Amino acid sequence: MAVAVDRMQSLRRAAQGGQMAECYKCVDAPLRAYLARQTRSIHDAEDLAQEVFLRLWRVGGRSEIHSLKAFAFKTATNLLKDRSRRTYTRMLRNAVPVADVDLPDFGGEPSSVVESLQTLAVIAKVIAGLRQTTRDAFLQYRLEARSHAQIAANMGVSVSMVEKHVSCAMTALRDAGIEYQDR
């Protein structure tokens, strides 16, 4: 019990000394930005940042910690690793063995497989023959399922120009005999 009382008193001294308050002011925004980039979720980043500051609060003003900022980021990285391990373990626990999955056979006829490979070769050749900007716009539109506005912002061109690039690519595919359905 005496250890807990001493611990609480050291935490109180660290907070009153301004060390934790200064650390919070200095580290809060960059730490949350780092966590948001890593988790791709503002809510998860906020939860993890709270956990980091709670752990910082628990260690208080220990003399062996030379940089609270470095300690905070190292703690955040460790929390991210722990979170990743838990997620991976949970996924493995819920995974279904491949032998237990009944998948239909879509490649029954060898001729249909050969025909599909030939069609893919034609598509690859047509796309490779497009201008770089047209190819980029079309691949973002079809493979990455981005909207014209997103592509325009990404490429730094107008939405109208993106529409022209996509239309040009679709025309080239139709001219090569590829049946193409827009999404």
Side-chain angles (χ1 to χ4, degrees):
M1 187 69 164
V3 174
V5 171
D6 290 339
R7 184 84 186 107
M8 289 303 294
Q9 288 174 348
S10 69
L11 289 174
R12 192 171 297 117
R13 279 193 303 273
Q16 289 171 348
Q19 187 178 8
M20 288 300 293
E22 286 301 316
C23 178
Y24 181 79
K25 287 178 189 175
C26 174
V27 175
D28 183 48
L31 181 67
R32 287 179 193 272
Y34 168 72
L35 290 168
R37 277 192 312 273
Q38 297 299 315
T39 62
R40 296 189 177 119
S41 167
I42 293 173
H43 302 294
D44 289 345
E46 289 175 0
D47 290 344
L48 288 168
Q50 284 180 351
E51 180 66 26
V52 167
F53 285 114
L54 180 63
R55 290 183 183 199
L56 280 172
W57 181 261
R58 285 181 189 150
V59 295
R62 290 189 183 168
S63 61
E64 64 263 13
I65 299 175
H66 299 293
S67 171
L68 283 176
K69 184 176 182 178
F71 184 78
F73 276 90
K74 185 62 177 176
T75 302
T77 302
N78 289 339
L79 285 172
L80 287 167
K81 288 178 184 177
D82 290 345
R83 179 178 181 257
S84 177
R85 274 190 223 108
R86 279 192 309 273
T87 302
Y88 178 75
T89 303
R90 194 176 311 118
M91 287 174 58
L92 282 180
R93 191 175 36 231
N94 296 332
V96 176
V98 174
D100 294 347
V101 178
D102 185 29
L103 297 173
D105 183 16
F106 292 113
E109 280 294 316
S111 62
S112 66
V113 172
V114 170
E115 185 179 322
S116 295
L117 290 173
Q118 289 172 342
T119 302
L120 282 174
V122 171
I123 291 171
K125 184 176 178 181
V126 169
I127 291 175
L130 297 173
R131 286 191 341 244
Q132 182 67 39
T133 52
T134 302
R135 183 180 330 120
D136 290 345
F138 181 72
L139 292 176
Q140 287 182 47
Y141 180 70
R142 289 304 297 174
L143 296 181
E144 298 174 18
R146 292 186 179 175
S147 69
H148 288 149
Q150 291 171 325
I151 299 167
N154 188 26
M155 294 178 66
V157 296
S158 68
V159 173
S160 171
M161 186 50 108
V162 171
E163 291 170 351
K164 289 176 186 174
H165 285 309
V166 171
S167 176
C168 179
M170 292 188 316
T171 301
L173 287 170
R174 273 194 297 276
D175 291 347
I178 303 298
E179 293 296 322
Y180 179 84
Q181 293 182 6
D182 199 10
R183 54 179 167 139

